[in-house]
Amino acid sequence: VIAASCSSKMPTGVLINVDPAKNIGFIKVGPGESYFCHASQLRDGTRLENGTTVRFSLGMGKGGRPQAENVCGAAGGGNVHGAAGGMGAGMPRGLGKGKGKGKGYAADPG
């Protein structure tokens, strides 16, 4: 396990499209900009929950795509719900039904 401190210089975003069964979600940073996040990258007691405001660093994932690493609560620990509040409060239509067909997630559903 890599220990990393959360810094105010790290990018901030809000967790969206969380799938607890797969331990994955995405961090929405801005319009059209989101990054894959796996629960193994969570630090400081932060949990993978929709609407949680987090700080993170960027690393390279499979296929050379950027992904979130060293994810921590924006206020330094735990789950923090910031001004973005309701962002990502639910999954877009068609996602989260759990049929096991491997349809996947859109990186930024809109």
Side-chain angles (χ1 to χ4, degrees):
V1 175
I2 300 170
S5 62
C6 193
S7 164
S8 62
K9 295 178 183 177
M10 296 168 80
T12 303
V14 177
L15 284 166
I16 62 171
N17 299 339
V18 171
D19 183 340
K22 295 181 181 178
N23 289 322
I24 64 168
F26 292 87
I27 299 175
K28 184 170 181 109
V29 179
E33 184 180 5
S34 61
Y35 300 100
F36 176 80
C37 177
H38 190 271
S40 66
Q41 293 299 317
L42 300 176
R43 308 289 182 253
D44 78 352
T46 298
R47 293 187 315 259
L48 200 58
E49 292 181 353
N50 283 317
T52 302
T53 302
V54 295
R55 293 191 186 277
F56 62 98
S57 56
L58 282 177
M60 291 306 235
K62 294 179 180 177
R65 294 185 194 136
Q67 73 176 32
E69 294 182 345
N70 302 314
V71 179
C72 54
N79 283 7
V80 180
H81 297 278
M87 286 179 64
M91 292 186 187
R93 181 177 42 219
L95 298 180
K97 301 254 189 251
K99 301 289 185 201
K101 302 290 183 191
K103 297 291 183 193
Y105 280 72
D108 187 17

